[in-house]
């Protein structure tokens, strides 16, 4: 199999960490990117401990120079990335009448500007290789969610970004797809439970009761989907948004 190098953003924990570990288990070398390199140590250790290869990359995805430097560092250490998973994300939830401009801008910057910058930095390597895989982490919130006008807008924006990339880069052997997770148990959802004043257990139970498969999602559920989308055999799947939410979206 051709050697593949991947970069996964927001990979210090949660979904990103699970995706990074899964792609390494699939045989890829992985750039584990998060706000600072120290935070990536645990994910890198899990990968190398299992016999894989990974490097920690510290960068704020919304910082153009930092993203370019991180992709250059990955290229110099493990090789040029031809797989990008844009997963870094933040929440700044509030009802619109209470939402600050900073809360709006922060969410746009991490999700949209971040995905643009990392994809732009890596796509040159994909085009040169005549092969590439881009996966953008959207959300069921793209369909609209109370208290999340910023986040819903960014996650819907990532779907448009994905489809435009698919049309632009398809002729170079590059696919672009989005995963739209439903409720996935991570620190992010634990923070939401805390904000709502409910325990994590009660939060999970109420979400599971409303989900057709009667459980909440796990980072491994998303990693499995990402593994498929970046695989060699998925070259005819492009421009799609895959809802991984334990049931259909109405
Ligand atoms: P998480 O546990 O909060 O992990 C997100 C990671 O992204 C953290 O390590 C965070 O670093 C990092 N990050 C934040 N801002 C960054 C930046 N500017 N540059 C680089 N890294 C940055 O979240 P998660 O639940 O795993 O979510 C991962 C992705 O899935 C996000 O895009 C999220 O919106 C999406 N998603 C999650 C769910 C869910 O239910 N969990 C559902 C749908 C979509 P710090 O720890 O330093 O902040």
């Amino acid at each position: 199999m051709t050697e593949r190098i991947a970069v996964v953003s927001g990979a210090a924990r949660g979904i990103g960490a699970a995706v990074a570990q899964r792609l390494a288990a699939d045989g890829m070398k992985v750039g584990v990117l998060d706000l600072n390199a120290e935070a990536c140590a645990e994910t890198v250790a899990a990968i190398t401990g299992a016999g894989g290869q990974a490097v920690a990359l510290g960068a704020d995805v919304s910082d153009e120079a930092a993203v370019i430097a991180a992709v250059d560092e990955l290229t110099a250490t493990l090789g040029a990335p031809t797989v990008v998973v844009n997963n870094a994300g933040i929440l700044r939830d509030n009802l619109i009448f209470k939402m600050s401009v900073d809360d709006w801008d922060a969410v746009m910057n991490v999700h949209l500007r971040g995905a643009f910058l990392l994809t732009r930095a890596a796509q040159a390597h994909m085009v040169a290789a005549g092969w590439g895989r881009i996966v953008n982490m959207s959300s069921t919130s793209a369909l609209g969610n109370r208290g999340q006008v910023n986040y819903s807008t960014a996650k819907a924006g990532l779907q448009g970004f994905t489809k435009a990339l698919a049309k632009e880069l398809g002729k170079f052997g590059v696919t672009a797809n989005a995963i739209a997770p439903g409720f996935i148990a991570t620190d992010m959802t634990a923070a939401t439970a805390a904000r709502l004043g409910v325990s994590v257990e009660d939060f999970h139970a109420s979400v599971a009761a409303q989900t057709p498969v009667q459980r909440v999602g796990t980072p491994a559920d998303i990693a499995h989907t990402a593994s498929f989308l970046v695989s060699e055999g998925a070259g005819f799947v492009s421009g799609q948004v895959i809802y991984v939410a334990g049931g259909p979206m109405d």
Side-chain angles (χ1 to χ4, degrees), residues 8-18 33-36 39-40 57-63 67 86-92 106 109-111 114 136-141 151 155 158 179-192 217 219 222 244:
V8 182
S9 70
R13 58 196 174 98
I15 293 169
L33 188 151
D34 211 291
L35 278 169
N36 61 73
C40 301
L57 303 167
D60 178 341
V61 290
S62 64
D63 179 335
V67 168
N86 287 304
N87 167 82
I90 59 168
L91 293 178
R92 292 290 184 271
N109 283 339
V110 176
H111 296 268
N136 299 311
M137 211 55 72
S138 179
S139 167
T140 51
S141 293
Y151 187 77
K155 291 309 198 185
L158 280 172
I179 300 173
F183 187 104
I184 309 298
T186 66
D187 292 346
M188 186 180 267
T189 49
T192 303
I222 304 307
V244 182

Side-chain angles (χ1 to χ4, degrees), residues 81-103:
T82 54
V83 175
V84 171
V85 180
N86 287 304
N87 167 82
I90 59 168
L91 293 178
R92 292 290 184 271
D93 295 354
N94 222 330
L95 297 173
I96 188 166
F97 79 98
K98 288 190 280 191
M99 187 174 287
S100 69
V101 170
D102 281 352
D103 286 343

Side-chain angles (χ1 to χ4, degrees), residues 133-186:
R133 299 281 185 265
I134 299 162
V135 174
N136 299 311
M137 211 55 72
S138 179
S139 167
T140 51
S141 293
L143 301 170
N145 201 19
R146 188 172 185 273
Q148 292 193 318
V149 289
N150 51 358
Y151 187 77
S152 295
T153 302
K155 291 309 198 185
L158 280 172
Q159 297 188 8
F161 178 64
T162 300
K163 291 173 189 180
L165 286 172
K167 290 187 176 180
E168 214 171 298
L169 299 177
K171 65 182 173 189
F172 303 109
V174 178
T175 67
N177 292 285
I179 300 173
F183 187 104
I184 309 298
T186 66

